[in-house]
Amino acid sequence: MLLDRAVELAGGAHISIPAWDIYHQRGRVRLAQGRLREALDDLRTAWRLARVWRWNMPADDTAQVGAEGWLEKVNAALVEAGNRLYLKTGDPNLARETFQAAEENRADSLRSLLARHASGAGFPAAYWEAMGQLQRAEVQALRSPGHSTAESLVRARAEVARLELEMPGVQADPVNDLLGRVHAALGRDRVLLTFKTGESASWLWEVDHHGLAVHRLPPREELKALARQASAALRGGGPSAGESCGRLYQILFGALDARSGGKPGWVIALDGGLFETPLAALPVGGQFLVERHVIQTIPSAAAWVESEKRQIVPSSLFLGVGDPIYNTADPRLGPGGRRGPGTLNLPRLVGSGQEVESCARLWPGERVVLEGAAASQENLLRQLAKGPAVVHFATHVLESGGGDPQGLIALAPGRDPELLAPRQIAAWRTNASLIVLSGCDSAAAPALPGTGLLGLTRAWLAAGARTVIASEWATPDDDGTLFRALYRNLATGRTTPSGALRAAQLEMIHASDWRSRPRYWAAYFTVGAQ
């Protein structure tokens, strides 16, 4: 009764609660009562009003990410009501509606950043000065952990966010006929599997050129626990890995149509709780999943179909960054180098130099390798301006300090270290077809509802990269055997980055040494358009 009265009064000058939230709350109550059609009507209204509210927010990344958190609550309730009614009635229009709604809210902030770059809107000098302050604060927080350095880091991040709020932004246009465009992009050889996790139930949409199906899955926390268990067992290499991974495969993909199992390409959009899933190493029919399919993860279906139509100017440049000067014992440091107390020293990655050099030799075009003192932010930006096709980082990836942990690419030209943060990278511009982050845990990042996995992979996609290869967990400092296989396959021009990574992983599976174990090759995955 109270909610009915609130709906009557919605929009009045004396009502401070947004109208979309009033419809949202009544829809949730009706959903809990099992009144699915009435709940869906309320939640449709809430979703329409909430999207208008969202698009009126400032178009910077901070505001958009925050708004998406609120919209996710409405979106999740709408999806649950629509899918429960679909499972009850079999009405395909409901499945199409929930797919469209779920994808409209997935990673929209990423699309807004891409739209900003496409419009040519730049960042003022004050923004880059604040970025420099943030970079120094990140270094200090890692060098001297403590309350004062954490506070300085929070202030530096807040200043960058404040400047973003003051900048005019560019909104991404809504994607019309998303399902139709997905059908066209998939063709006959690929299937799209897109997940949405929720508190009481999770959902999987299975889309191919024939149509669309919806499958109900366990709640988010249950899936998250299973994914973490499978990942930990795989990294540990114990006998339980096969059992844990097999159980996860059956829960995630066991209900798929046999037609999907026969398609060579799987395009997968993950959601909160599932980002740790070791997809490539999940067992099926006595094989690993990667032995049956080219696995391509994407941030969202909307970003994927938009990226697939982008025209990229071909480039022949390979840019490798590896073996920076990380500590004062490095003989390459020379006199006058970094010697002060409290220096942030890191172990040298000797194998990383061999990795980037050997990968560069396999590249058929122009090659530039930044090593030692040359592995600096200044040199990196100078080479990015030339529009490289591939950028390969064989560096440390550190976890930032403060209360908002994120991955940082560690460069060190010989004096103070330089830590490249996701927010900084997202403000750059690149048309690279492929970014490779071979450092340990380079994909680690917090996941936010409606935004996806924050961190280095999202940052490079926001900067304009087509595809990013990153690692789910710590990897050994070897000479880049897997990546040499990747570039051998990529250099043929007959495959995509996802296909080249799969070919490299298959080579590792059939190797006769420790590299054949999933704990090595299954750490790597692709995310993006190719």
Side-chain angles (χ1 to χ4, degrees), residues 97-145:
E97 180 183 3
T98 58
F99 171 80
Q100 179 83 25
E103 290 302 325
E104 282 175 350
N105 195 47
R106 189 195 298 272
D108 256 355
S109 57
L110 173 61
R111 295 178 59 240
S112 295
L113 288 175
L114 288 168
R116 179 188 182 91
H117 287 317
S119 72
F123 294 85
Y127 182 77
W128 295 113
E129 292 173 7
M131 278 293 187
Q133 292 284 351
L134 176 58
Q135 187 178 89
R136 290 188 286 274
E138 295 278 12
V139 172
Q140 192 60 32
L142 288 174
R143 177 184 291 167
S144 305

Side-chain angles (χ1 to χ4, degrees), residues 237-315:
S240 64
E243 181 182 347
S244 298
C245 290
R247 183 164 62 251
L248 183 58
Y249 174 86
Q250 286 301 321
I251 289 175
L252 295 181
F253 304 117
L256 292 182
D257 188 279
R259 188 174 61 240
S260 295
K263 292 184 182 295
W266 278 19
V267 182
I268 301 177
L270 298 172
D271 199 22
L274 290 175
F275 288 113
E276 295 183 50
T277 304
L279 290 170
L282 297 183
V284 50
Q287 293 180 302
F288 293 112
L289 191 62
V290 73
E291 294 183 87
R292 293 197 170 193
H293 310 284
V294 176
I295 302 169
Q296 173 189 354
T297 58
I298 59 173
S300 71
W304 177 59
V305 296
E306 289 176 339
S307 185
E308 286 237 323
K309 70 178 183 180
R310 282 173 54 202
Q311 297 297 317
I312 303 296
V313 178
S315 168

Side-chain angles (χ1 to χ4, degrees), residues 54-96:
R54 181 216 190 270
W55 289 117
N56 287 326
M57 294 290 290
D60 67 283
D61 201 28
T62 303
Q64 294 292 352
V65 167
E68 285 162 10
W70 287 103
L71 259 70
E72 172 62 17
K73 299 178 185 299
V74 184
N75 189 267
L78 172 64
V79 166
E80 183 177 350
N83 281 347
R84 283 173 57 182
L85 195 56
Y86 164 75
L87 295 178
K88 186 176 181 179
T89 65
D91 183 355
N93 292 319
L94 292 170
R96 287 193 288 269

